[in-house]
Amino acid sequence: MLQSKELSIFEDLVYQATSKIARGKVSTYAQIAKEIGREKSYRAVGNALHKNPFAPLVPCHRVVYSTGRLGEYAFGKKKKMALLKEEGIIISNDQIVDFQEKLFKF
DNA sequence: GTCGTGACTAGCC
DNA sequence: CGGCTAGCCACGA
């Protein structure tokens, strides 16, 4: 509580984990949550990425739903789709093709 | 310290 | 197969 100075440890971990995702790969909120030791805090992960102060810095566009859907994105789904496509991720109707194949594992 | 909400997820109907 | 519901953690007011 009352950590109005810097980002909470949790958020910091989220950003670091997200930045670890290799180019051309994608990850899920649950996967990241688990990686940072809070598997059930996938919602907090999304919340952290939403506030993401490292917006274009951290590859938050590589984070999607566990169902293979894109999920939301601060710059818009269209932008997310375009970015992923440039990295080799094919998306069809807001859904990643070969999702499990493109899924990045820590 | 409590309440409400979110870039989610898995389970049910 | 598809839509809806409830549960989860952390944060802001």
Side-chain angles (χ1 to χ4, degrees):
Chain A
M1 314 179 184
L2 294 174
Q3 298 206 359
S4 55
K5 277 193 175 180
E6 296 184 357
L7 297 170
S8 63
I9 303 301
F10 183 83
E11 291 180 353
D12 189 42
L13 288 171
V14 172
Y15 303 135
Q16 288 190 44
T18 305
S19 63
K20 287 181 191 170
I21 302 173
R23 183 179 176 286
K25 293 273 187 175
V26 296
S27 188
T28 70
Y29 296 90
Q31 187 66 52
I32 294 171
K34 186 176 183 180
E35 171 62 18
I36 64 182
R38 297 291 188 283
E39 186 176 3
K40 299 178 207 158
S41 56
Y42 29 71
R43 305 223 54 182
V45 174
N47 200 359
L49 288 176
H50 186 210
K51 293 185 298 187
N52 184 10
F54 305 100
L57 214 64
V58 82
C60 43
H61 59 271
R62 293 179 190 151
V63 184
V64 297
Y65 281 20
S66 294
T67 59
R69 277 209 169 258
L70 291 183
E72 292 301 316
Y73 186 56
F75 290 80
K77 289 184 190 172
K78 292 167 68 176
K79 188 73 177 179
K80 189 169 187 174
M81 186 187 299
L83 287 168
L84 290 172
K85 187 176 181 182
E86 281 191 44
E87 298 191 354
I89 309 295
I90 310 303
I91 299 171
S92 176
N93 194 15
D94 288 3
Q95 176 128 19
I96 296 178
V97 179
D98 298 329
F99 173 59
Q100 293 297 330
E101 196 175 313
K102 307 294 183 184
L103 183 59
F104 178 79
K105 290 158 191 167
F106 291 89

